[in-house]
Amino acid sequence: MKRKFNVLIVDDEFLARKLLSEYVSKVDFLQLIDTCSDATKAMEVINEEHIDILLLDIQMPDISGMEMLKLMNNKPAVILTTAYSEYAVDAFALGVVDYLLKPFDYARFLQAVNKAVNTISTDTQSDAVNDYLMVKADYKLYKVNFDDLLFIEGQHEYVTFHTKTKRITALYSLKNLEDTLPKDRFVRTHKSFIVSIKNIEDIDKVNVTVAGNKIPVGASYREALIERLS
């Protein structure tokens, strides 16, 4: 059976969200997670849920779709849905998968979705051979080696990467990181923490110690943590 790909729709127009929801419902390998009318709410959803495909409008109040793209680290596969053609060059420079000009029909939507799925599959294969993350923060691109990464701390829509030499705070989804990082090297211990397994020094009823730092262990994560360590 083909795996399900989680979809988030972001558009300030109700009718556009309704049409896209109907299109998503017709594709058996897509699963609609949520619809949002603004970028702020969308980024909250992305931080809480694993999103594979983001259907994103450009013209929205407060934060535009283009501004949201620039803010995001570890982006899902992004398909822009817009009535404006003039943003296409900038959009593809930001790594979008496809650019749908409104109004578009179901066939064109399906073409874009299939392109997104192929992109996700290719990226997953590439990630499997990497032993690092590239993290965008403070107008720089940091290479974070898995060997140097001690733990990751979630702070609302941001996370802080605690490495052996520095701390990097960036706009990231802790849920997406949990799904992306190699399971044999990192484990979630709490709703706000992911830790490096090899750097765990000890564990008690409520904490693990990582490089001298006490990291909380949530009740719902404890059993899986013990199993991984065993």
Side-chain angles (χ1 to χ4, degrees):
M1 180 184 294
K2 206 168 189 177
R3 66 160 280 206
K4 293 276 190 178
F5 293 86
N6 293 342
V7 178
L8 174 64
I9 295 169
V10 187
D11 198 305
D12 63 333
E13 297 179 4
F14 170 76
L15 290 178
R17 295 196 302 274
K18 184 173 183 292
L19 178 63
L20 284 170
S21 297
E22 291 172 358
Y23 282 177
V24 169
S25 70
K26 293 181 179 181
V27 185
D28 60 359
F29 56 84
L30 297 182
Q31 177 171 297
L32 182 61
I33 298 300
D34 206 345
T35 64
C36 301
S37 59
D38 62 79
T40 302
K41 173 61 177 174
M43 287 191 286
E44 291 176 4
V45 174
I46 289 170
N47 189 50
E48 294 296 326
E49 302 283 349
H50 175 73
I51 302 299
D52 295 300
I53 299 172
L54 176 63
L55 299 170
L56 179 63
D57 186 24
I58 290 180
Q59 294 287 356
M60 294 187 296
D62 299 326
I63 300 174
S64 72
M66 297 296 286
E67 289 169 333
M68 180 177 167
L69 277 176
K70 293 173 184 177
L71 287 171
M72 293 170 64
N73 252 309
N74 202 30
K75 289 190 285 284
V78 179
I79 299 171
L80 285 178
T81 61
T82 178
Y84 302 90
S85 62
E86 60 265 32
Y87 299 100
V89 172
D90 289 339
F92 282 111
L94 289 170
V96 304
V97 171
D98 210 339
Y99 195 96
L100 299 184
L101 277 174
K102 298 176 181 177
F104 50 86
D105 59 17
Y106 175 68
R108 181 66 182 90
F109 167 81
L110 191 57
Q111 180 185 17
V113 165
N114 281 319
K115 188 175 178 182
V117 168
N118 289 334
T119 298
I120 293 166
S121 300
T122 301
D123 288 347
T124 300
Q125 292 169 7
S126 298
D127 288 343
V129 300
N130 289 340
D131 59 356
Y132 61 87
L133 282 175
M134 297 305 296
V135 177
K136 183 172 64 178
D138 305 322
Y139 303 101
K140 297 178 183 177
L141 199 59
Y142 294 90
K143 182 179 180 181
V144 178
N145 292 312
F146 292 157
D147 283 341
D148 295 330
L149 184 56
L150 300 173
F151 63 94
I152 305 168
E153 180 181 2
Q155 301 152 323
H156 301 293
E157 67 268 28
Y158 289 88
V159 303
T160 296
F161 297 86
H162 296 257
T163 77
K164 293 176 181 178
T165 58
K166 58 181 171 286
R167 286 190 281 182
I168 305 165
T169 299
L171 188 65
Y172 249 99
S173 160
L174 203 64
K175 175 60 178 171
N176 279 354
L177 284 170
E178 181 185 10
D179 293 336
T180 301
L181 290 167
K183 299 272 189 282
D184 61 331
R185 301 183 71 172
F186 296 91
V187 61
R188 187 111 177 227
T189 65
H190 185 271
K191 65 179 182 179
S192 300
F193 288 92
I194 295 172
V195 306
S196 164
I197 294 173
K198 79 168 188 175
N199 286 298
I200 293 177
E201 297 167 359
D202 59 59
I203 178 171
D204 59 30
K205 291 182 178 179
V206 293
N207 295 301
V208 292
T209 304
V210 178
N213 299 278
K214 293 290 186 182
I215 309 295
V217 177
S220 61
Y221 297 94
R222 183 174 177 78
E223 184 177 345
L225 172 62
I226 296 296
E227 185 177 328
R228 294 280 293 281
L229 293 178
S230 300

